[in-house]
Amino acid sequence: MMDFLRVSRRLLEEGAPVSRSEFDLVLKLRTELERLHARSENDLRNLESIFNLVEMGSLLNLLPGVKAEDIPQASAAIRKVLAETI
């Protein structure tokens, strides 16, 4: 899981069906979730942790750096990056 984003980026460059915008959204989510680091213990190098935080954000309709109306798109993007990488 630690190299998941690196592998995802390589697959994207090799023509995987994940769009650049979805991958970039996942990277943006990772950056925005760093705000939580001061308040909680999360390994943002691990995509599973990012996925869990995004899913919790979907349930709460609250995700750092993401407008409430854009949370479903963020959830869909991380699911697609995960699915296409696996």
Side-chain angles (χ1 to χ4, degrees):
M1 291 305 289
M2 300 297 273
D3 289 337
F4 204 90
L5 287 174
R6 184 180 55 77
V7 171
S8 295
R9 182 185 312 266
R10 189 191 72 212
L11 291 173
L12 175 68
E13 291 168 358
E14 293 174 358
V18 174
S19 74
R20 169 61 69 180
S21 63
E22 290 168 324
F23 183 78
D24 289 344
L25 180 54
V26 170
L27 291 180
K28 179 183 180 250
L29 287 169
R30 181 177 176 221
T31 300
E32 292 295 334
L33 290 170
E34 288 177 356
R35 295 180 184 187
L36 298 176
H37 186 66
R39 297 183 198 133
S40 64
E41 294 269 338
N42 294 296
D43 182 4
L44 297 179
R45 294 172 295 164
N46 184 328
L47 197 62
E48 184 178 5
S49 295
I50 297 170
F51 174 77
N52 291 336
L53 290 168
V54 171
E55 290 305 301
M56 282 189 279
S58 292
L59 292 172
L60 299 171
N61 203 33
L62 181 65
L63 198 57
V66 179
K67 295 177 187 170
E69 62 267 16
D70 294 335
I71 292 174
Q73 179 185 3
S75 180
I78 197 157
R79 286 172 184 272
K80 185 158 186 188
V81 169
L82 280 166
E84 294 300 333
T85 303
I86 291 172

